[in-house]
Amino acid sequence: MPGSSEVSFATSNEHKFSEAALVLGRIGVTLSRLPSKGEEVQSDNPSEIAAIAAERTFARAERPVIVEDTALFVKSLGGFPGTYAAYVYRTLGLELVLKLVPQAGRQAEFVSAVAYCDGPGRAKVFTGRLAGTIATAQRGANGFGYDPIFVPSGDSRTLGEMTLDEKCSISHRGKAVAAFGEWYLSARH
Ligand code: ITT
């Protein structure tokens, strides 16, 4: 029943949790947090990473869980950093990423994969995408990760210059979480 539904989001990232809680809260799905989704498999495909992580997290937590994996694909860099976005953010940082992106090849896409699991072999994946460009310099103090250098198509601001609400209404994660939420409610959990 809407309003009485609860699911746990396993993530080490408090920003991801806040965004998902905002989107799901609006449709009456209450989100609690588990501190980590544990060790991830390596893959170029965020849906595969999320599905396996959801299965593993369910096996450990023994309650309905979601996990989320995000990839950032820069077209002119052959999709780099892709699913290694967290590692590249930690090791190179945004300034070096900006130097790697060619002036004339700034097209990029965020992909978010949300996986829900409530039993062995039952992971279900929902994806959301956000097309845009990599900015020429960091702008904005909001958000996290690559937000200060990502300009969504149709806007001139970076995600770092948007409010949480504005970001979630257009973002890869907002779309994937909303798709999960709609399915979750329609499946009458
Ligand atoms: P988990 O515990 O949920 O895995 P994480 O931060 O490691 O948290 P991901 O592997 O999914 O999550 O994300 C990879 C990185 O991509 C993340 O650390 C950020 O640097 C970046 N990222 C993810 N979502 C983003 C967003 O909405 N805006 C900007 N950067 C984002």
Side-chain angles (χ1 to χ4, degrees), residues 11-13 16 37 40 70 86 144 146-147 167 172-173:
T11 179
S12 62
N13 186 321
K16 285 170 60 164
K37 67 184 174 197
E40 289 174 20
T70 304
F144 69 101
Y146 297 83
D147 282 346
K167 178 184 172 184
H172 46 300
R173 180 166 305 103

Side-chain angles (χ1 to χ4, degrees), residues 9-17 19 33-38 40 46 49 67-72 81-90 94 110-113 130 143-150 159 167 171-174:
F9 182 12
T11 179
S12 62
N13 186 321
E14 66 187 90
H15 298 279
K16 285 170 60 164
F17 181 80
E19 293 180 8
R33 183 167 169 201
L34 293 173
S36 157
K37 67 184 174 197
E40 289 174 20
I49 295 172
V67 302
E68 193 252 17
D69 195 72
T70 304
L72 173 64
T83 54
Y84 303 97
Y87 178 73
V88 169
Y89 180 82
R90 270 200 317 275
L94 295 184
F110 268 120
V111 178
S112 164
L130 179 63
F144 69 101
Y146 297 83
D147 282 346
I149 66 166
F150 191 91
L159 288 173
K167 178 184 172 184
S171 77
H172 46 300
R173 180 166 305 103

Side-chain angles (χ1 to χ4, degrees), residues 28-99:
V29 178
T30 306
L31 206 57
S32 60
R33 183 167 169 201
L34 293 173
S36 157
K37 67 184 174 197
E39 202 183 325
E40 289 174 20
V41 296
Q42 287 195 352
S43 164
D44 294 345
N45 181 348
S47 295
E48 192 181 341
I49 295 172
I52 294 171
E55 293 278 350
R56 289 181 175 176
T57 307
F58 174 80
R60 215 177 55 229
E62 294 180 324
R63 67 172 102 156
V65 291
I66 55 169
V67 302
E68 193 252 17
D69 195 72
T70 304
L72 173 64
F73 300 102
V74 179
K75 203 171 168 190
S76 61
L77 300 180
F80 176 88
T83 54
Y84 303 97
Y87 178 73
V88 169
Y89 180 82
R90 270 200 317 275
T91 53
L92 295 185
L94 295 184
E95 284 306 314
L96 280 178
V97 170
L98 286 176
K99 288 202 171 92

